[in-house]
Amino acid sequence: MRDMQEKWGRSAAGAPRAPAREGSPSRRDGVSRVERVSALRPRAGLGLYVHIPFCASRCPYCDFATAPARTALRSRYLDALDIEIRREGSRLGKPRVSTLFFGGGTPSLLEPIEIARLGAALQDAFDLRPSEASVEANPATLDRARLEAWAALGITRLSLGAQSFSPVGLRALGRTHQPADIAPAVAAARSVGFDVNLDLIFGWPGQTAAAWREDLEAAAALGPDHLSCYPLELALEPEEAVANWPGAGWRSVERWRRRSAAAQPDDDGIATLYELAEAFLGRQGFRHYEIANWARPGKRCRHNLGYWRNGDWLGVGAGAHSHLVGIRSRNVGVLPAYIAAIDRDDERIVDATADPAVDGAMLALRLDEGLDLVRYSSRFGLDAASRVRNALRSLDRTRLLRWSGERVCLTARGRLLASEVFVRLLPDDVNFSASV
């Protein structure tokens, strides 16, 4: 599945930190960098996200930090990634990694020797004992040597970017694989013992309910352990990673996105497709455990559960986000800038606007288990819990929420209109009225 660091609700980045080099700590408010990093050491295991930006071609809807697989910067990027992995592992005291996720980009494009090098760096830098280790892949990018290399690293789960089983849908999304590539990729993953997630996108230009039902039926027929279903979202502001791709750049992408947005189903149409997925996958025995994710019993994505439960995770690589002891930060997404930042040992870009209490409430409500206000109060305090309770109680007559004592969950209608709930949790200075 798409790694949830960057999907459905990204944090805005704050101003860049001043450069500092290891061994020559900068001072800020009398606190050295070494002391600050020590304070960020997680108390228990952490999730580790590794970003591999390389893609065979650019999907025009994608706003992740990606770059051409044949970029001249590939070897320098992998060198920088190796340095960052080892440096962060050392600074954090070689913490235990409880879950591992390789996202992109297309990690499955790495060569076996590159995969082995990554594995060696991770083993040296961390206490690598993940209960789950995922890698993202695109159909038609897998072969036996690569799969065996990932298995040797410890991968247990493959997340396949199927997106659609319709040739029309794949063309509408600008994808380069064919529907016939998907089933062999699933079979190949199964052959080395991997669990399988399938990513699907709905709401592409011209998609009908019948076409979406066919996608769901085709996906279910392959017997995946997990399904992620995302509406097509088309950002109309340029992301920084546009600079990684030669050619027409942002203007070309913007034109494609504007044309595609004009041809998408309207809001009612998107709602119909979402409800169709809920009903169909429920009948197939999948648990709808998060707004955009369904799983067989025991097959929820543990790594992404760490995000939604507001746990600690470290992200390494271009554009990767981290959350350590309540502080959110990210790396720059442009490859030359990322490589230079690692060479200089720059600090990550800290999100100065992040509100841990608000983030914690919103993330918990994404899950079917909902928000436990007793536990929330013990973590964020009585005042924060009271503010959240009052904000959510203001929605009592909207049928968006279901209460059971001090636990509150989104209803089926609430999942569909989650933004109407989340806006009530924002601080007063950024809140606005929502019509429900």
Side-chain angles (χ1 to χ4, degrees):
M1 66 194 295
R2 263 300 179 197
D3 173 71
M4 295 303 295
Q5 286 204 333
E6 296 186 271
K7 192 69 180 172
W8 281 25
R10 252 161 288 183
S11 299
R17 296 273 187 151
R21 294 194 63 82
E22 188 175 20
S24 302
S26 65
R27 303 292 299 188
R28 187 178 296 110
D29 299 326
V31 180
S32 74
R33 182 176 186 184
V34 172
E35 291 164 336
R36 289 197 306 280
V37 171
S38 296
L40 294 179
R41 289 180 180 173
R43 292 178 292 275
L46 73 142
L48 178 60
Y49 173 81
V50 182
H51 190 72
I52 307 299
F54 309 124
C55 289
S57 63
R58 182 173 188 184
C59 299
Y61 59 84
C62 178
D63 57 359
F64 296 101
T66 61
R70 296 184 181 276
T71 175
L73 294 174
R74 178 165 172 151
S75 63
R76 289 181 60 199
Y77 178 84
L78 293 174
D79 288 344
L81 183 59
D82 187 285
I83 291 169
E84 186 185 14
I85 287 169
R86 294 176 186 276
R87 183 183 288 159
E88 294 304 319
S90 174
R91 284 176 174 159
L92 293 173
K94 198 171 184 177
R96 183 192 167 208
V97 170
S98 55
T99 62
L100 177 62
F101 198 108
F102 290 88
T106 313
S108 55
L109 287 174
L110 289 184
E111 298 294 339
I113 191 170
E114 294 170 329
I115 298 168
R117 179 186 177 185
L118 268 178
L122 292 168
Q123 289 284 357
D124 289 346
F126 298 95
D127 179 8
L128 199 63
R129 292 180 288 144
S131 60
E132 173 192 274
S134 302
V135 63
E136 290 184 340
N138 283 343
T141 64
L142 296 172
D143 58 40
R144 191 72 188 181
R146 285 185 170 94
L147 282 169
E148 289 178 351
W150 285 114
L153 190 150
I155 293 298
T156 61
R157 182 176 179 276
L158 183 129
S159 184
L160 191 69
Q163 314 311 359
S164 178
F165 288 79
S166 161
V168 175
L170 293 176
R171 284 195 299 272
L173 292 167
R175 302 289 295 191
T176 58
H177 70 271
Q178 300 300 316
D181 296 326
I182 300 171
V186 171
R190 294 294 195 195
S191 74
V192 292
F194 292 168
D195 286 349
V196 174
N197 167 70
L198 294 178
D199 273 358
L200 297 177
I201 293 177
F202 63 93
W204 40 263
Q207 187 180 32
T208 63
W212 179 226
R213 185 185 300 276
E214 289 173 1
D215 271 355
L216 292 168
E217 290 173 347
L222 294 178
D225 304 286
H226 190 286
L227 278 163
S228 300
C229 301
Y230 302 117
L232 178 62
E233 295 178 320
L234 298 171
L236 297 179
E237 303 80 30
E239 61 273 7
E240 62 177 347
V242 167
N244 293 331
W245 290 88
W250 168 247
R251 290 184 179 180
S252 174
V253 173
E254 182 185 23
R255 286 195 298 271
W256 184 94
R257 291 182 184 179
R258 289 192 181 278
R259 286 196 307 270
S260 296
Q264 284 187 269
D266 61 17
D267 288 348
D268 288 342
I270 293 292
T272 295
L273 300 180
Y274 185 76
E275 291 170 335
L276 195 160
E278 281 192 302
F280 176 82
L281 295 175
R283 291 194 299 270
Q284 296 294 314
F286 288 90
R287 173 180 171 181
H288 191 184
Y289 75 99
E290 194 273 340
I291 286 176
N293 289 277
W294 287 257
R296 296 287 186 191
K299 298 298 184 179
R300 294 182 299 173
C301 180
R302 297 178 188 178
H303 182 82
N304 285 345
L305 282 171
Y307 297 154
W308 296 314
R309 290 171 175 164
N310 217 17
D312 286 319
W313 75 83
L314 171 69
V316 294
H321 291 238
S322 297
H323 177 251
L324 296 172
V325 195
I327 297 176
R328 297 186 184 275
S329 62
R330 68 175 179 91
N331 286 335
V332 66
V334 180
L335 261 60
Y338 166 76
I339 293 166
I342 296 301
D343 286 345
R344 293 189 304 263
D345 194 11
D346 287 358
E347 296 190 31
R348 286 184 177 80
I349 302 167
V350 172
D351 183 0
T353 68
D355 185 326
V358 170
D359 289 346
M362 289 185 181
L363 290 165
L365 285 168
R366 294 187 65 91
L367 294 169
D368 65 346
E369 62 198 37
L371 173 63
D372 182 337
L373 282 166
V374 174
R375 295 181 64 182
Y376 182 85
S377 175
S378 68
R379 181 169 184 177
F380 296 108
L382 291 172
D383 288 346
S386 177
R387 190 182 69 78
V388 168
R389 184 185 295 105
N390 291 338
L392 296 179
R393 281 297 184 186
S394 73
L395 296 168
D396 274 354
R397 298 183 180 181
T398 63
R399 297 182 292 114
L400 298 176
L401 297 168
R402 181 177 65 256
W403 289 84
S404 177
E406 285 291 275
R407 184 181 293 274
V408 57
C409 306
L410 294 175
T411 61
R413 183 170 187 259
R415 287 193 293 270
L416 193 61
L417 300 171
S419 61
E420 307 288 3
V421 176
F422 297 160
V423 71
R424 301 301 179 101
L425 299 174
L426 295 174
D428 291 340
D429 58 346
V430 295
N431 208 344
F432 56 91
S433 59
S435 172
V436 293

